Amino acid sequence: MSGTKQRSRRRARPTQTRLFRAPVLRTERITPGMQRVTLCGGDLGEFVNAGTDSHVVLYFYAEGAELPEPLTATTARAAFAAVRPEMRSYTIRRFDARTTELDIDFVLHAESGPAASWARDARPGDELIFVGPSPAYEPDPEASGYLLIGDESALPAIQATLPELNPAIPVTVLVEIADEAERQPMPVPVTWVHREGGELADPGRLRAALAGIELDPGLDVWLAGERTVMHELRRFLLEAGLPRDRVRPTTYWRAGT
Ligand SMILES: Cc1cc2nc3c(=O)[nH]c(=O)nc-3n(C[C@H](O)[C@H](O)[C@H](O)COP(=O)(O)OP(=O)(O)OC[C@H]3O[C@@H](n4cnc5c(N)ncnc54)[C@H](O)[C@@H]3O)c2cc1C
């Protein structure tokens, strides 16, 4: 413990967590390695977005699985022993309550997994089942600056968070991506760090980029990405003198599992 007063970095959920079913409206390959899936309609008239890095848990049931009727978060969980979906967390990149359009941006990573494969093959009319939303990161309004760090899996959360930050407080953004083709338009300057074929779970590239940044103890740091990289960056930031309660990384995925 640092002795500094602890404050919650999460705002509460806007509603009770529940299960939603919604059809795909369209898909768009926004970069070679990122697929946007836009849902619209279904239960989304009742969805309330928590903002910033709020996410939902996608449920991928095996084809032909006999789902409980009615399918709710409670009945789905109660049936896990008999019919358990593959579950993966994804950020709400954008939600428009007026049109009920909801965007999720999927990294099309080279390893196959149920979520990336589903997104790659999704067609209009396909149904997505998910539970959420989660609480969301609450930026500290008294921070001396914001530091947002992540890889491409965290880019949707960073993009959803940026418009919610106080524009009077300086923000620094570091994002590791495969190469230049993965860059996306951003509302603030971003330091893009390219892997260029390097190992996925190598913390060295982001750590080198961090070394060039002034690390004021009043910074509010948000970071998410691969587990080993997050551990190492946390260690680096703590050694640089940032208080523990300011540096709480989130593991978004683990290389090899
Ligand atoms: C709160 C939260 C929010 C998230 N938001 C997003 C989001 O908006 N967009 C997004 O794309 N991801 C997001 N993720 C990460 C995503 O949940 C994981 O990448 C997930 O493992 C992908 O599931 P899958 O079924 O495609 O692959 P899995 O079956 O989980 O994994 C299969 C293989 O792929 C590898 N792998 C998994 N993810 C990646 C990756 N990103 N890059 C390279 N290799 C990988 C694994 O190491 C494994 O070897 C989020 C995670 C969390 C916890």
Side-chain angles (χ1 to χ4, degrees), residues 10 33-35 53-56 58 60 86-93 103-118 134 151-157 195 200 222 224-226 250-257:
R10 296 265 141 201
M34 188 76 93
Q35 175 89 328
D53 65 353
S54 176
H55 64 275
V56 292
L58 311 185
F60 297 103
E86 295 279 2
M87 291 177 266
R88 299 289 186 275
S89 299
Y90 277 82
T91 305
I92 305 303
R93 170 67 184 86
D103 290 343
I104 299 180
D105 289 354
F106 293 79
V107 175
L108 299 177
H109 52 85
E111 309 279 343
S112 68
S117 312
W118 179 86
S134 70
D151 59 21
E152 48 271 87
S153 70
L155 190 48
R195 268 193 302 278
L200 280 167
W222 181 98
E226 199 282 325
T250 309
T251 293
Y252 269 17
W253 62 282
R254 292 180 188 196
T257 48

Side-chain angles (χ1 to χ4, degrees), residues 11-193:
R11 31 171 109 113
R13 285 186 183 87
T15 52
Q16 288 273 310
T17 296
R18 56 156 285 187
L19 184 141
F20 293 85
R21 302 176 82 153
V24 172
L25 176 68
R26 61 176 175 269
T27 63
E28 185 189 355
R29 190 65 72 89
I30 52 177
T31 66
M34 188 76 93
Q35 175 89 328
R36 173 163 299 160
V37 177
T38 302
L39 310 172
C40 182
D43 300 330
L44 289 173
E46 290 163 52
F47 189 79
V48 180
N49 192 13
T52 62
D53 65 353
S54 176
H55 64 275
V56 292
V57 180
L58 311 185
Y59 282 20
F60 297 103
Y61 285 101
E63 215 171 312
E66 282 203 24
L67 306 186
E69 275 292 335
L71 185 66
T72 66
T74 310
T75 61
R77 253 178 239 127
F80 275 178
V83 52
R84 190 181 175 89
E86 295 279 2
M87 291 177 266
R88 299 289 186 275
S89 299
Y90 277 82
T91 305
I92 305 303
R93 170 67 184 86
R94 177 187 71 99
F95 178 63
D96 182 336
R98 195 180 48 84
T99 60
T100 77
E101 284 191 17
L102 187 154
D103 290 343
I104 299 180
D105 289 354
F106 293 79
V107 175
L108 299 177
H109 52 85
E111 309 279 343
S112 68
S117 312
W118 179 86
R120 186 180 288 121
D121 299 338
R123 295 282 172 270
D126 290 354
E127 183 184 62
L128 189 61
I129 299 175
F130 60 91
V131 169
S134 70
Y137 156 62
E138 184 165 16
D140 179 357
E142 290 167 16
S144 63
Y146 299 113
L147 175 57
L148 310 182
I149 311 169
D151 59 21
E152 48 271 87
S153 70
L155 190 48
I158 291 172
Q159 289 170 310
T161 297
L162 283 171
E164 294 195 40
L165 299 179
N166 178 346
I169 299 180
V171 57
T172 304
V173 184
L174 299 184
V175 184
E176 180 173 304
I177 49 177
D179 52 35
E180 187 157 1
E182 293 305 320
R183 292 187 184 202
Q184 292 188 36
M186 301 287 278
V188 298
V190 168
T191 300
W192 298 102
V193 176

Side-chain angles (χ1 to χ4, degrees), residues 203-222:
R205 294 174 293 260
L206 280 170
R207 200 179 42 215
L210 263 178
I213 289 170
E214 196 191 327
L215 295 170
D216 182 282
L219 280 177
D220 185 5
V221 187
W222 181 98

